[in-house]
């Protein structure tokens, strides 16, 4: 009779930590952000400014989903086909 070996559980990395320790680390990350930059929901003007800045960094010919419904549909279709097709191998 062969004994079934369970895979070794890694003791490295964030996911292997105690959930309370994960929360403590996550809290520290949030505390390092200044209040004025912490949440776009608290400052709609800051959110709008960031959105404009992001939009300006994209080539105007490539940010046209809102103006070109057909282009948006084709992109969605490609994404759907890619996510529902057979699994890719490492060589692809």
């Amino acid at each position: 009779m062969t004994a079934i070996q369970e895979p070794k559980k890694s003791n490295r990395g964030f996911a292997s930590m105690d959930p309370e320790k994960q929360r403590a680390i996550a809290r520290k990350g949030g505390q390092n952000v200044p209040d004025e930059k912490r949440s776009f929901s608290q400052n709609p003007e800051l959110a709008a400014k960031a959105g404009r800045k992001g939009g300006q960094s994209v080539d105007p010919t490539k940010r046209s989903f809102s103006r070109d419904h057909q282009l948006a549909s084709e992109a969605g279709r490609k994404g759907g086909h890619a996510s529902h097709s057979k699994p890719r191998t490492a060589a692809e």
Side-chain angles (χ1 to χ4, degrees):
M1 189 169 183
T2 307
I4 298 174
Q5 293 181 344
E6 292 194 26
K8 289 184 179 180
K9 185 175 180 181
S10 175
N11 61 353
R12 297 174 49 182
F14 193 75
S16 67
M17 291 180 191
D18 177 292
E20 186 54 41
K21 188 170 185 179
Q22 289 179 348
R23 282 190 285 277
I25 291 171
R27 268 193 302 275
K28 287 179 184 178
Q31 291 169 349
N32 286 334
V33 178
D35 285 340
E36 65 272 6
K37 293 185 179 180
R38 187 165 292 177
S39 173
F40 287 147
S41 64
Q42 294 175 2
N43 189 341
E45 188 176 315
L46 181 63
K49 184 177 177 183
R52 278 191 298 276
K53 185 176 180 182
Q56 290 169 350
S57 68
V58 178
D59 182 0
T61 62
K62 295 183 180 178
R63 63 174 126 125
S64 57
F65 283 160
S66 62
R67 289 180 254 157
D68 188 343
H69 180 73
Q70 184 177 354
L71 182 63
S73 294
E74 289 172 19
R77 209 173 359 269
K78 283 181 184 178
H81 288 300
S83 67
H84 297 295
S85 64
K86 64 182 181 178
R88 294 182 178 196
T89 62
E92 288 183 2

